[in-house]
Structures are given as structure tokens and as C-alpha cells.
């Protein structure tokens, strides 16, 4: 090893406090150039480094890709199970992992969810792009043994597609399977657990053959012992905390974890300035237009198709109830630090000093059902035998049904659970370990920034429903936004690109926008923007007419035809072509897909004359609509092409491939 190489190693090692190799790809290529090393040589070089420093590394690498945290939780639970059996593990999100180390790994477990329409979660994008590099040799990963557990929902057309694609790509690159693939499904009566439990059981069978010296039996005694908590918590006395530090606490919101796919420095602080009810007050559905104004110094910019990602707050009452139950005051300041004795590797997401109110309102997901792991943790903190047994049962594989019936289906939150198990006195450091972090919620933007540069609006349907036991549940974020005080409270949000790349600068490009219900939201942004551009660019009627086709559908015209006046006015002016379907106003039910076949000549001509530039966007609920609309397009083209269904299918498939036909569904 020459002295330049040594310098390089020092650089890498000193840049990382965990003595593992984490370098980003820019750093890597700069260093490689500096050292005159090719990429191939680099792997060999890394092996040298490891040997040189005798880094005792892991037995198994767990890599997860997760959009809303489920795959992350599953990966963490797997890690706990592996640690219990004496495995040395390394757990990372795919994009945090230095992918150039992958050929050196022995055993890898991938836990990967699918998002969008069969797309990778944001923390897999770079990793996936790297794996897809065309000239990677087919023996690049020949020493790697792997398995995949996928999280998906069979209601989506591309069920678990990222887990499947990753599996195939790993095989193409020469990696070998050490355990069969598992595919979890949200539609299973027990959600992904329906598949995960048996997959995990078999995983340990497979591992027994590979790592016979680990501990697989007699785990009961170990399980009974309380694990080391991940965090340490210190209650801070008020007089110990000076004024300057108080100021810091006020600014904790700046440390709220950046949502997937957003940029840290693009956090927006805004206030709600308008909250308009779009449905009749006595209707069973509630849809609102919520408008935000950015705090003055924000240089925020957005375009039609972009998404507003909102960090919601839990209700004050729930935070107070939970704090009271734990004998804590909301104004209590606590110091949260990492417990270095914990065997798990993780990033501490909390600010060092934080009030209980901030912790419960902004940081922890306390309104939604907690994971099974919380029940396990709770079981260590009761002297009541019955409660202890029940908690252990719910947290176990055997108690899966009970967990689903009592927690998931009934949407019980942590306060309700602690209340039911009143003998449990769980310390705060264990409680926060058993809860997930607050999840941001995504909404399509429905305004154009050309109309007001400091404002953005969204169209939200209020989530409210009853559980099987008739408990009334409301959605965390929609309720938070509904009740927010106008112009008072700060709302923390980010803007990110959506999947629909809209032609927002050119109103002459033909678009077909299919948006039933609140699926209309992103299209309102494009329509408003195009309307302004038609004026600004002084376009002629010939240039702008028959370019923006909107298909909107809902149950009743009188109750749910959002933005009716504006849309009908633009239709009158020939600035848009509006087609509507009201499914409950007439005896025969008409939905948006029926409008396509009904007007097959209009849409057939439009598509046939604009193959290269037309854009079709479909937005709304995921369950049946996207598939039915796609079938509607195929049907209309078949009719237009006088029965040539193969050609019709090929046209739509081609548009999908070229991303001229894009679905955004939830
Ligand atoms: C916006 C959205 C898009 C989704 N798209 C798909 C999909 O295309 N295919 C699929 O199998 N599951 C899809 N799902 C389901 C998720 O993969 C599933 O709920 C998973 O458990 C989420 O895991 P995560 O929280 O780790 O991202 C989607 C879920 C959402 C919210």
C-alpha cells in the first residue's frame, strides 16, 4: 500500500465516526481520479483496506428502500431478530449505503417497497440507477448471496414490482439466492405480516444451514430480558436551561426530518390563509381548498404537477392526554441522546433538547396504530401477569390476528393502548423507540404560481370513517389542516416533483387530463397556469383551443363538482374542453372511462394526430380507476381503429413507455 493510498484510507475513516466505509459517489470518483485507480481496481483496493484495518464487519447486510417507513420498520425488526440470534448486522437505507462495497458483501437481505406506479422509493433511486448501469459485467456480484422481501399492494397494477425487478437484476449480475423471495401484500387480511411471518421463519431455517454457530434455540430467556433502549432521556429542570437555549428549542422545527424526495434546504414555512369548503355543509363528504402563504423570505417556486409535502401535527388534546397519562407536562424539556450501549445502528432523529409538546405534536406518530414492537416493549413494564401475557401475545407471530383486530382495524393509538393496559409504566425512552416518526403527507398542488407567487393551494378530501366497532376516525393531516387557525400557526412543508411531467409552459401542447373526484387537484394547477399563459403569450383561439381536455367525474353534480364555475367559464371560452360524468345523478352509472368511449372520435383524432407530443395524465384513487381508464383508452382506440384492438393496446403501451401517459394514484 503506497502512502497516497494510506492518506486516502485515513480520509475515509476519519470522515466517518462508525469506522465503516461511507463515502458518496462524488467523493469517490474524485479520490479515484486522484489515486489513478480504475473502478475495477477499487474493489480490490477496498478489500485491502478492510484487511489492513482488520475491520470486523457484519455477517449480514440489511438494505431497505422505504417511502413511508413500513419497509424501514420491517428491516429494523429483522435486525432485532438477527441480533437476538447473535448475528452481526449492518442496516442501512439503499441510498445511504456505499454501493461500491456491494461486490464485497457476503449475505444481503433487501427489504423494499414499491411506490408511485411501480416505482422505487426515493431512498432507492441512486442505488437502483447504479445497478442498472448497462456495462456492469454479469459476474459483478458473483460473491453476493441475497434474498428480497417486498412490500406492496395487489390493488396496484405493478404489484411489488421493485422487489421483483431488484431480484431479477441481482441474478443478472451474478448474485445467488440464499433464501426465497417474499412478497408482502397490504390486501392480505393481516397486511404484509400475512407473508412476512412465515418468510422470516423460513429465513432462519435457511440461515441455520449457513451460520450453524449462531443461536437459534432457547431464545426464551434472552427475550425475557429487557433490551438496551436506543435512547437515553434526561428531564431538564427549567432553571437549568438558559434563555439562549430556549431560543434553540423554538427553532427545533428546522430539524424536522426531510421527507423522502425533498431537499432539506427547501423546507417551507407557511400559514393557511384560506380554508374553503367545496362540498355542501350537510353532505357526507367534505372537500376543502386550503391555501397557504409562504413566510416572506421564502424563495419557493413550484410548477403544475408538483406536490406539497406537509408535516402534520397531532391534535393538542391527544398530546395532552398522553402527557397526562405519563405524568409529564407538555412544557417539560427533555434531552434525548443515543444510548451507545444499544447494539443497533441508527441515526438519532430528535433534536437534543425538545419539549414534550414538540415531541408528541410534531415528531412522533401518536395518532396512528403503533407497531407490534411497542407491545413487546410495554410487556417489560408491567407487574400484572395478565397484561404481560397479553402484550407478549399481541407482539408475537401467534397474536397477529389479535394485533390486526385490536390495533390495525380499530386504528387504536398509543394513548388508547396505554389506557387499556393501565398497569404498564413504560419509560419515555422505550416509548419513543416503539413509536414511528410522524409521517409527512403528500398533496397535489392545485394552484398556479403565476397567479400569486407567494401562495400555493391544495384540494383535500377529509378522511373520516368508522372502524368495525363503529369508532369514528379522522385522518391526521386533513383534520390538522381543517382546524388550523387562519394566519396563525406555522405549517411546515416541502415541494417536490410529482410523477406527472406536465407541459406547463406551453398551452398549445395537447393534453388529456382524467381526474375524477379530488383527482382534479393537479389539473386545476395546469388549467390555471395555461389560462394565464394564453393571456400573457397573446395566443390566438386557433392556437389554444382543443388542447386541454378535462374529464371529471363524481357522484352528484350539485355536491361534488369542485371548481365548477371556473371550469365551465373556461369551457365556454374554448380554453378547455370539459367532459363530465355524474355517477349517481342518473339511473345508468357513468364514470370517466365511459366518456372516453362515448367520445371516441374526438379522442381518437386527438391521439392519432398528436402521437409525438400528446400527454395523458390520470389522477385519483388507486383501487380500480387507473386500470379502468387505461382499458377505456384501449377501447376508444379500438373503436376508432375499427376493431384493431392489438394496435390500440400497442399505442397505449407505447405512450406509457415514453411517459406520455402517466398515472398518479393514491
Ligand atoms: C402512493 C402510493 C403508491 C403505491 N404504488 C404501489 C405499486 O405500484 N405497487 C405496489 O405493489 N404497491 C404500491 N403501493 C403500496 C406500498 O408499496 C405499500 O403500502 C408498502 O407497505 C409501503 O411501504 P413503505 O412505507 O416502506 O414505502 C403504493 C402505496 C402508495 C401510498
Amino acid at each position: 500500500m503506497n502512502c497516497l493510498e494510506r492518506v486516502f484510507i485515513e480520509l475515509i475513516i476519519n470522515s466517518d465516526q462508525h469506522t465503516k466505509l461511507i463515502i458518496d459517489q462524488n467523493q469517490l470518483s474524485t479520490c479515484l481520479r486522484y489515486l489513478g485507480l480504475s473502478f475495477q481496481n477499487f474493489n480490490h483496493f477496498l478489500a485491502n483496506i478492510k484487511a489492513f484495518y482488520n475491520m470486523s464487519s457484519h455477517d449480514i447486510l440489511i438494505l431497505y428502500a422505504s417511502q413511508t417507513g413500513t419497509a424501514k420498520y420491517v428491516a429494523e425488526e429483522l435486525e432485532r431478530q438477527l441480533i437476538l440470534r447473535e448475528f452481526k448486522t449492518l442496516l442501512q437505507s439503499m441510498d445511504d449505503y456505499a454501493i461500491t462495497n456491494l461486490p464485497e458483501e457476503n449475505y444481503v437481505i433487501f427489504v423494499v417497497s414499491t411506490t408511485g406506479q411501480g416505482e422505487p422509493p426515493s431512498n432507492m433511486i441512486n442505488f437502483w440507477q447504479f445497478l442498472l448501469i448497462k456495462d456492469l459485467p454479469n459476474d459483478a456480484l458473483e460473491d453476493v448471496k441475497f434474498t428480497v422481501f417486498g412490500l406492496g399492494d395487489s390493488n396496484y397494477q405493478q404489484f411489488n414490482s421493485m422487489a421483483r425487478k431488484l431480484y431479477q437484476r441481482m441474478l443478472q449480475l451474478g448474485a445467488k439466492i440464499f433464501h426465497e423471495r417474499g412478497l408482502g401484500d397490504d390486501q392480505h387480511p393481516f397486511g404484509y405480516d400475512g407473508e412476512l411471518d412465515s418468510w422470516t421463519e423460513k429465513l432462519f431455517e435457511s440461515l441455520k444451514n449457513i451460520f450453524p454457530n449462531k443461536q437459534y434455540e432457547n431464545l426464551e430467556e434472552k427475550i425475557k430480558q429487557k433490551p438496551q433502549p436506543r435512547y437515553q432521556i434526561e428531564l431538564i429542570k427549567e432553571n437549568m436551561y438558559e434563555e439562549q437555549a430556549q431560543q434553540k428549542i423554538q427553532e427545533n422545527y428546522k430539524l424536522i426530518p426531510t421527507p423522502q424526495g425533498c431537499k432539506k434546504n427547501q423546507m417551507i414555512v407557511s400559514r393557511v390563509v384560506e380554508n374553503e369548503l367545496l362540498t355542501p355543509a350537510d353532505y357526507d363528504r367534505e372537500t376543502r381548498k386550503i391555501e397557504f402563504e409562504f413566510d416572506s423570505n421564502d424563495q419557493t417556486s413550484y410548477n403544475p404537477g408538483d406536490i406539497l409535502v406537509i408535516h402534520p401535527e397531532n391534535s393538542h388534546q391527544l398530546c395532552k392526554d398522553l402527557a397526562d397519562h405519563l405524568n409529564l407536562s407538555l412544557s417539560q424539556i427533555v434531552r434525548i441522546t443515543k444510548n451507545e450501549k444499544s447494539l443497533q445502528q441508527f441515526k438519532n432523529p430528535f433534536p437534543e433538547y425538545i419539549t414534550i409538546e414538540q415531541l408528541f405534536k410534531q415528531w412522533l406518530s401518536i395518532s396512528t396504530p403503533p407497531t407490534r414492537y411497542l407491545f413487546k416493549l410495554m410487556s417489560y413494564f408491567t407487574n400484572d401477569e395478565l397484561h404481560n401475557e397479553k402484550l407478549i401475545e399481541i407482539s408475537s407471530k401467534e397474536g397477529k390476528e389479535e394485533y390486526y383486530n385490536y390495533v390495525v382495524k380499530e386504528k387504536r393509538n398509543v394513548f388508547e393502548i396505554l389506557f387499556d393496559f393501565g398497569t404498564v409504566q413504560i419509560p419515555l425512552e422505550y416509548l419513543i423507540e416503539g413509536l414511528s416518526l410522524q409521517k409527512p403527507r403528500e398533496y397535489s398542488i392545485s394552484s398556479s404560481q403565476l397567479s400569486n407567487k407567494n401562495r400555493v393551494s391544495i384540494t383535500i378530501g377529509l378522511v373520516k370513517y368508522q372502524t368495525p366497532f363503529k369508532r369514528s376516525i379522522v385522518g391526521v393531516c386533513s383534520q390538522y389542516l381543517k382546524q388550523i387557525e387562519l394566519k396563525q400557526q406555522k405549517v411546515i412543508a416541502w415541494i417536490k416533483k410529482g410523477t406527472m411531467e406536465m407541459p406547463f409552459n406551453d398551452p398549445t401542447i395537447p393534453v388529456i387530463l382524467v381526474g375524477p373526484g379530488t383527482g382534479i387537484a393537479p389539473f386545476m394547477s395546469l388549467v390555471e397556469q395555461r389560462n394565464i399563459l394564453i393571456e400573457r403569450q397573446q395566443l390566438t383561439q386557433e392556437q389554444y383551443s382543443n388542447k386541454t381536455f378535462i374529464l371529471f367525474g363524481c357522484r352528484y353534480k350539485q355536491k361534488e363538482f369542485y371548481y365548477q364555475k371556473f371550469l365551465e367559464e373556461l369551457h365556454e371560452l374554448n380554453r378547455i374542453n370539459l367532459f363530465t360524468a355524474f355517477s349517481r345523478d342518473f339511473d345508468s352509472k357513468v364514470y370517466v372511462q365511459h366518456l372516453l368511449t362515448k367520445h371516441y372520435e374526438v379522442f381518437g383524432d386527438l391521439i392519432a394526430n398528436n402521437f409525438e407530443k400528446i400527454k395523458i395524465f390520470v389522477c385519483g384513487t388507486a383501487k380500480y380507476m387507473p386500470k379502468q381508464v387505461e382499458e377505456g383508452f384501449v377501447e376508444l382506440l379500438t373503436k376508432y381503429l375499427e376493431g384493431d384492438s392489438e394496435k390500440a393496446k400497442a399505442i397505449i403501451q407505447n405512450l406509457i413507455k415514453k411517459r406520455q401517459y402517466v398515472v398518479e394514484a393514491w
Side-chain angles (χ1 to χ4, degrees):
M1 194 170 289
N2 67 33
C3 89
L4 258 179
E5 286 176 348
R6 272 170 195 261
V7 171
F8 182 36
I9 295 166
E10 292 294 344
L11 253 173
I12 297 170
I13 288 172
N14 290 334
S15 72
D16 186 284
Q17 52 184 349
H18 305 295
T19 54
K20 58 186 166 22
L21 300 171
I22 297 181
I23 42 176
D24 78 26
Q25 292 194 9
N26 285 341
Q27 260 179 300
L28 172 64
S29 51
T30 316
C31 290
L32 287 181
R33 241 179 293 126
Y34 183 62
L35 290 167
L37 273 173
S38 71
F39 184 70
Q40 274 85 348
N41 290 341
F42 182 65
N43 286 325
H44 182 66
F45 173 64
L46 275 186
N48 275 346
I49 295 175
K50 283 183 189 166
F52 184 78
Y53 274 85
N54 191 20
M55 287 176 193
S56 65
S57 58
H58 42 275
D59 304 311
I60 295 191
L61 169 69
I62 309 168
L63 290 179
Y64 66 85
S66 180
Q67 192 65 24
T68 54
T70 321
K72 179 171 185 262
Y73 167 73
V74 170
E76 284 172 352
E77 183 55 29
L78 267 175
E79 186 188 37
R80 282 191 282 268
Q81 296 288 334
L82 286 161
I83 290 175
L84 186 73
R85 289 162 178 79
E86 310 276 322
F87 280 83
K88 282 189 195 153
T89 55
L90 174 62
L91 171 93
Q92 279 186 339
S93 85
M94 291 193 195
D95 279 355
D96 278 345
Y97 175 72
I99 193 170
T100 47
N101 288 351
L102 194 58
E104 302 295 316
E105 299 291 349
N106 284 325
Y107 291 91
V108 187
I109 301 176
F110 292 101
V111 184
V112 50
S113 73
T114 299
T115 190
Q117 297 301 307
E119 281 136 44
S122 322
N123 57 6
M124 181 182 183
I125 290 174
N126 294 339
F127 183 92
W128 186 231
Q129 272 173 359
F130 193 97
L131 276 197
L132 289 183
I133 291 175
K134 285 219 168 63
D135 55 8
L136 287 181
N138 57 10
D139 59 356
L141 299 179
E142 64 178 354
D143 294 331
V144 180
K145 271 80 67 189
F146 77 103
T147 183
V148 176
F149 187 82
L151 292 111
D153 181 335
S154 54
N155 264 340
Y156 284 87
Q157 279 166 290
Q158 314 282 329
F159 174 54
N160 254 310
S161 65
M162 286 321 298
R164 293 169 197 270
K165 286 184 192 165
L166 178 65
Y167 181 85
Q168 287 306 334
R169 186 60 183 149
M170 290 296 290
L171 290 178
Q172 276 174 0
L173 295 174
K176 318 276 180 318
I177 307 155
F178 78 88
H179 177 60
E180 66 190 45
R181 183 183 65 182
L183 298 179
D185 183 0
D186 287 356
Q187 293 308 312
H188 188 284
F190 304 139
Y192 62 80
D193 278 331
E195 173 72 15
L196 181 65
D197 284 345
S198 58
W199 180 84
T200 312
E201 210 167 290
K202 288 185 212 142
L203 171 73
F204 288 117
E205 292 299 318
S206 306
L207 288 174
K208 220 186 244 181
N209 297 326
I210 305 165
F211 296 91
N213 295 333
K214 302 292 177 186
Q215 190 184 348
Y216 299 92
E217 315 296 334
N218 306 325
L219 296 168
E220 294 77 15
E221 276 312 306
K222 268 173 112 177
I223 293 173
K224 272 190 201 148
Q225 285 161 27
K226 215 169 38 224
Q228 276 290 338
R230 282 178 163 201
Y231 305 101
Q232 283 180 322
I233 292 196
E234 195 187 327
L235 298 186
I236 303 294
K237 289 203 186 96
E238 236 169 82
N239 56 5
M240 278 169 63
Y241 211 72
E242 332 96 49
E243 223 171 86
Q244 210 188 358
Q246 283 286 1
Q247 176 69 25
K248 250 179 115 183
I249 283 192
Q250 298 294 321
E251 306 214 327
N252 270 346
Y253 70 88
K254 292 183 180 164
L255 303 174
I256 286 175
T258 310
Q260 301 281 347
C262 301
K263 296 204 173 87
K264 192 175 172 59
N265 60 359
Q266 286 175 352
M267 177 189 273
I268 303 164
V269 179
S270 64
R271 291 170 209 260
V272 174
V273 286
E274 204 191 304
N275 185 343
E276 185 191 345
L277 184 62
L278 299 177
T279 39
D282 57 354
Y283 191 44
D284 65 346
R285 289 183 180 184
E286 191 173 331
T287 304
R288 290 177 175 269
K289 176 184 167 194
I290 311 257
E291 188 156 307
F292 304 84
E293 189 163 76
F294 308 134
D295 277 11
S296 52
N297 55 355
D298 273 319
Q299 297 292 312
T300 307
S301 80
Y302 67 86
N303 290 309
D306 288 354
I307 309 264
L308 190 68
V309 185
I310 296 178
H311 186 87
E313 288 185 3
N314 299 306
S315 84
H316 183 79
Q317 190 57 49
L318 179 62
C319 297
K320 173 109 183 44
D321 288 344
L322 183 60
D324 287 350
H325 186 88
L326 298 167
N327 285 326
L328 288 165
S329 119
L330 287 177
S331 58
Q332 172 72 54
I333 295 167
V334 289
R335 179 166 184 246
I336 307 181
T337 48
K338 244 170 121 162
N339 176 7
E340 295 304 336
K341 288 190 203 136
S342 167
L343 294 175
Q344 291 179 343
Q345 295 160 20
F346 61 97
K347 286 182 196 152
N348 178 355
F350 302 106
E352 190 173 359
Y353 293 96
I354 185 168
T355 64
I356 293 294
E357 181 165 10
Q358 289 172 335
L359 190 64
F360 289 175
K361 236 182 214 173
Q362 295 183 304
W363 291 78
L364 294 171
S365 175
I366 62 166
S367 308
T368 50
T371 58
R372 279 201 271 173
Y373 186 53
L374 179 72
F375 289 83
K376 181 83 188 307
L377 291 175
M378 281 169 65
S379 73
Y380 297 113
F381 299 99
T382 174
N383 293 326
D384 183 290
E385 247 175 65
L386 270 179
H387 278 177
N388 176 274
E389 260 174 41
K390 194 84 203 152
L391 289 164
I392 291 176
E393 187 193 327
I394 296 180
S395 69
S396 71
K397 284 200 292 280
E398 294 70 32
K400 186 163 57 189
E401 189 165 353
E402 175 113 23
Y403 171 72
Y404 267 79
N405 288 336
Y406 169 66
V407 184
V408 180
K409 287 192 189 155
E410 285 304 311
K411 302 283 173 215
R412 281 204 165 75
N413 64 41
V414 54
F415 168 66
E416 292 168 322
I417 292 163
L418 285 174
F419 187 82
D420 285 352
F421 289 89
T423 59
V424 173
Q425 295 199 316
I426 185 168
L428 194 56
E429 55 271 33
Y430 282 94
L431 183 76
I432 66 172
E433 184 173 340
L435 294 173
S436 315
L437 290 180
Q438 182 74 302
K439 284 182 193 161
R441 311 298 202 270
E442 299 188 354
Y443 296 95
S444 302
I445 290 176
S446 32
S447 53
S448 160
Q449 204 173 13
L450 296 183
S451 76
N452 188 333
K453 98 176 182 13
N454 293 320
R455 289 195 177 191
V456 64
S457 76
I458 56 174
T459 308
I460 62 163
L462 256 91
V463 180
K464 50 180 180 187
Y465 54 91
Q466 288 203 326
T467 65
F469 278 90
K470 304 271 178 276
R471 290 153 40 84
S472 293
I473 303 293
V474 289
V476 180
C477 195
S478 54
Q479 192 64 15
Y480 160 65
L481 292 174
K482 176 186 169 173
Q483 296 191 332
I484 211 157
E485 286 174 67
L486 286 192
K487 299 189 181 169
Q488 299 297 313
Q489 285 165 256
K490 281 190 192 113
V491 178
I492 306 300
W494 293 260
I495 280 168
K496 76 170 199 183
K497 290 262 151 276
T499 46
M500 299 184 285
E501 285 166 36
M502 293 187 174
F504 51 78
N505 281 329
D506 185 352
T508 68
I509 294 179
V511 291
I512 303 176
L513 312 170
V514 186
T518 47
I520 191 80
F523 304 143
M524 292 311 299
S525 172
L526 186 67
V527 166
E528 189 180 19
Q529 175 119 340
R530 284 190 157 197
N531 191 36
I532 295 169
L533 288 177
I534 286 170
E535 306 274 341
R536 288 198 188 164
Q537 296 174 359
Q538 299 183 345
L539 299 181
T540 62
Q541 182 153 341
E542 202 187 325
Q543 287 171 304
Y544 64 70
S545 61
N546 295 323
K547 297 296 186 304
T548 310
F549 289 76
I550 297 202
L551 284 76
F552 174 75
C554 62
R555 299 196 293 179
Y556 306 102
K557 180 174 183 179
Q558 298 304 328
K559 300 185 194 255
E560 288 172 87
F561 191 178
Y562 319 127
Y563 308 109
Q564 176 180 359
K565 193 161 168 279
F566 181 57
L567 290 171
E568 287 182 342
E569 271 171 19
L570 293 184
H571 180 76
E572 285 301 309
L573 293 169
N574 277 328
R575 294 187 175 189
I576 63 169
N577 300 56
L578 178 65
F579 298 82
T580 51
F582 303 107
S583 62
R584 303 222 179 152
D585 279 344
F586 307 100
D587 288 343
S588 60
K589 291 198 169 172
V590 207
Y591 296 105
V592 277
Q593 63 270 24
H594 301 127
L595 300 171
L596 294 168
T597 30
K598 185 170 170 199
H599 302 279
Y600 75 96
E601 280 172 325
V602 177
F603 294 113
D605 275 344
L606 189 70
I607 297 172
N609 296 330
N610 295 284
F611 271 141
E612 294 307 319
K613 51 182 181 178
I614 192 159
K615 296 257 188 181
I616 300 172
F617 299 111
V618 181
C619 186
T621 50
K623 206 162 182 177
Y624 307 113
M625 189 275 293
K627 190 161 178 279
Q628 289 169 347
V629 169
E630 192 182 317
E631 284 164 3
F633 271 104
V634 172
E635 209 177 311
L636 91 83
L637 284 176
T638 307
K639 240 176 148 180
Y640 182 77
L641 297 167
E642 295 170 354
D644 192 345
S645 62
E646 287 311 308
K647 190 164 176 201
K649 271 187 211 149
I651 290 173
I652 295 300
Q653 284 314 312
N654 191 34
L655 289 174
I656 292 174
K657 201 166 152 207
K658 286 161 54 190
R659 296 195 63 76
Q660 283 176 254
Y661 182 121
V662 181
V663 177
E664 195 163 279
W666 53 83

